[in-house]
Amino acid sequence: MGNVAHMAIPPLVEPADEITSQERARYARHILLPEVGLLGQRRLKNARVLVVGAGGLGSPALLYLAAAGVGTIGVVDDDVVDTSNLQRQVIHGTDDVGRPKTESAADAVARVNPLVRVVRHDTRLDSSNALEVLAGYDVVLDGTDNFPTRYLVNDACVLLGKPHVWASIYRFDGQVSVWFAGRGPCYRCVFPEPPPPGSVPSCATGGVLGVLPAAMGSVQVAETLKLVTGSGDPLVGRILVHDSLRQTWDTLRVRRDPGCPVCGEAPSVTSLIDYESFCGVPGASTDATLTSAGASFGEVTATELAALLAARERGEERFELVDVRDPGEREVVSIPGAQPIHLEEFRDGTAAGRLAPGIPVIVHCKSGGRSAEAAALLAAAGRGDVRNLTGGVLAWVREVDPSLPEY
């Protein structure tokens, strides 16, 4: 994707005035490194790094930033710890389930290094607050798992003139790069358009090897420390690609796009936009009937579905309940009485042939998004009574059978 001339980047942060004897002892192994030294450690002490997301990538990143002596660490997250997080989000423990992730993360950071300061941002980063939140930091470490926030973080960093250290994980594969407009490409130079909605499963639906975020998050921290101290050759203009199944690491060279709408020669994006719309994320609807591409379908709640299933068991109702999720998801939790027909079969048209004609259909997935697509495709194909389970199997677990696991 083009050759890039590698060059050293000057340190991003001015050094703190002094390092205490306690800090000299704690960071002695850093100070022994000529590429870091006492001056570099003083820069780390003065650095302000924001971690977006206290999840899989954010967990190792926060711990290693703290251990390295980064003076101020910000963490943005509006979620709470869930049991399904514990397989990979190692900053949280079993006792933290139900706690705000920023609170749990701040406590863990304090245990690792009480000399650093944690700033909690208990909010969802969006176009209304991103510039204000990011403005107070030297480097942004992106640990998010969704495309709207990735594009938001990129655009905000470009507008603010800040580098951001990005990583992406899925199943057994990971990628890391440093996007730094003015010195190399930004995220949009390489990924100008988001993928079609639903075409790239998230870790929540496709799974992820629990240790993979540790590998990628630690690389993100290494890149962050290099930027702060001005050491080494940061991953500007390169993407590091990791395949944990084959245990390989490859490097792709990438270059700035002069026509990039954000960092190009004539940028058209000069303020933050609606990234949910940009990425094609469907908005929530409160209507009983939803419409997609002219195809209408209804909604049913989890409690309503439970009553319908009981009535079907008594022979008083007749309908098909269809689970459009991946097989692995069904291994975790399923709604009794649902038949599996994958979403791809709705997309290629074969699902209709597997459903008895003239019988109402209720479709569901994990949280309602993929099944809404399946319902719209059925309705567009001329199917009559089609309904989507609002909130998917997660709503079933929370409202009908809490003994079942969430994921």
Side-chain angles (χ1 to χ4, degrees), residues 371-388:
S371 52
E373 180 185 350
L377 290 169
L378 272 183
R383 191 83 188 196
D385 190 353
V386 181
R387 284 174 287 177
N388 180 40

Side-chain angles (χ1 to χ4, degrees), residues 290 297-301 361-365 367-375 386-392:
L290 306 181
F297 58 91
E299 292 278 300
V300 61
T301 68
V361 177
I362 298 174
V363 291
H364 84 81
C365 62
S367 57
R370 286 171 288 168
S371 52
E373 180 185 350
V386 181
R387 284 174 287 177
N388 180 40
L389 174 59
T390 305

Side-chain angles (χ1 to χ4, degrees), residues 41-405:
Q41 196 62 50
R42 287 166 55 200
R43 295 187 192 279
L44 291 172
K45 180 178 180 178
N46 220 23
R48 298 173 58 87
V49 176
L50 178 68
V51 178
V52 183
L57 292 166
S59 289
L62 287 161
L63 295 174
Y64 275 110
L65 288 170
V70 170
T72 301
I73 303 171
V75 54
V76 183
D77 206 309
D78 69 338
D79 200 3
V80 298
V81 180
D82 182 81
T83 301
S84 65
N85 302 149
L86 303 180
Q87 165 256 11
R88 65 203 175 282
Q89 298 181 17
V90 294
I91 204 167
H92 313 296
T94 301
D95 291 342
D96 296 314
V97 171
R99 296 179 71 196
K101 286 186 176 180
T102 57
E103 180 179 86
S104 170
D107 286 350
V109 167
R111 289 192 295 271
V112 170
N113 190 350
L115 303 180
V116 305
R117 172 173 172 255
V118 178
V119 179
R120 291 172 52 189
H121 300 276
D122 299 295
T123 185
R124 177 177 292 274
L125 206 64
D126 59 29
S127 299
S128 69
N129 61 19
L131 292 175
E132 180 182 358
V133 172
L134 271 60
Y137 295 90
D138 304 301
V139 184
V140 177
L141 192 152
D142 182 3
T144 59
D145 62 355
N146 65 87
F147 288 102
T149 310
R150 288 175 186 167
Y151 282 96
L152 167 68
V153 169
N154 175 79
D155 292 4
C157 284
V158 172
L159 294 175
L160 292 167
K162 299 180 185 294
H164 88 274
V165 185
W166 160 85
S168 174
I169 54 174
Y170 177 59
R171 291 187 171 169
F172 298 93
D173 302 322
Q175 303 176 71
V176 183
S177 189
V178 176
W179 310 114
F180 199 170
R183 296 187 177 276
C186 78
Y187 180 77
R188 279 228 227 179
C189 290
V190 182
F191 305 102
E193 298 290 339
S199 64
V200 180
S202 67
C203 293
T205 56
V208 62
L209 183 67
V211 73
L212 179 66
M216 311 318 291
S218 61
V219 173
Q220 286 183 283
V221 174
E223 293 304 302
T224 301
L225 302 186
K226 286 156 60 179
L227 289 168
V228 169
T229 60
S231 59
D233 184 12
L235 283 169
V236 175
R238 294 177 292 154
I239 299 178
L240 188 63
V241 181
H242 177 46
D243 181 336
S244 62
L245 277 182
R246 295 190 301 125
Q247 205 54 257
T248 57
W249 296 82
D250 300 299
T251 304
L252 303 176
R253 294 191 174 187
V254 292
R255 61 186 175 187
R256 175 176 172 264
D257 177 10
C260 174
V262 186
C263 75
E265 296 172 358
S268 58
V269 177
T270 56
S271 61
L272 301 181
I273 62 173
D274 182 343
Y275 293 89
E276 297 281 328
S277 297
F278 175 69
C279 293
V281 177
S285 173
T286 57
D287 297 332
T289 299
L290 306 181
T291 303
S292 176
S296 297
F297 58 91
E299 292 278 300
V300 61
T301 68
T303 52
E304 289 170 341
L305 176 59
L308 288 169
L309 285 170
R312 188 176 73 172
E313 185 71 19
R314 297 191 300 268
E316 299 168 1
E317 288 282 351
R318 192 180 182 203
F319 64 93
E320 302 252 21
L321 177 61
V322 178
D323 185 341
V324 307
R325 298 174 300 157
D326 293 338
E329 294 178 84
R330 295 194 294 272
E331 291 289 337
V332 177
V333 60
S334 292
I335 298 177
Q339 65 164 312
I341 303 179
H342 196 271
L343 176 59
E344 287 301 325
E345 295 188 58
F346 290 86
R347 290 172 175 166
D348 65 23
T350 58
R354 295 183 56 185
L355 296 168
I359 298 178
V361 177
I362 298 174
V363 291
H364 84 81
C365 62
K366 178 182 179 180
S367 57
R370 286 171 288 168
S371 52
E373 180 185 350
L377 290 169
L378 272 183
R383 191 83 188 196
D385 190 353
V386 181
R387 284 174 287 177
N388 180 40
L389 174 59
T390 305
V393 72
L394 293 182
W396 178 270
V397 173
R398 292 166 186 162
E399 300 171 22
V400 178
D401 190 353
S403 68
L404 297 174

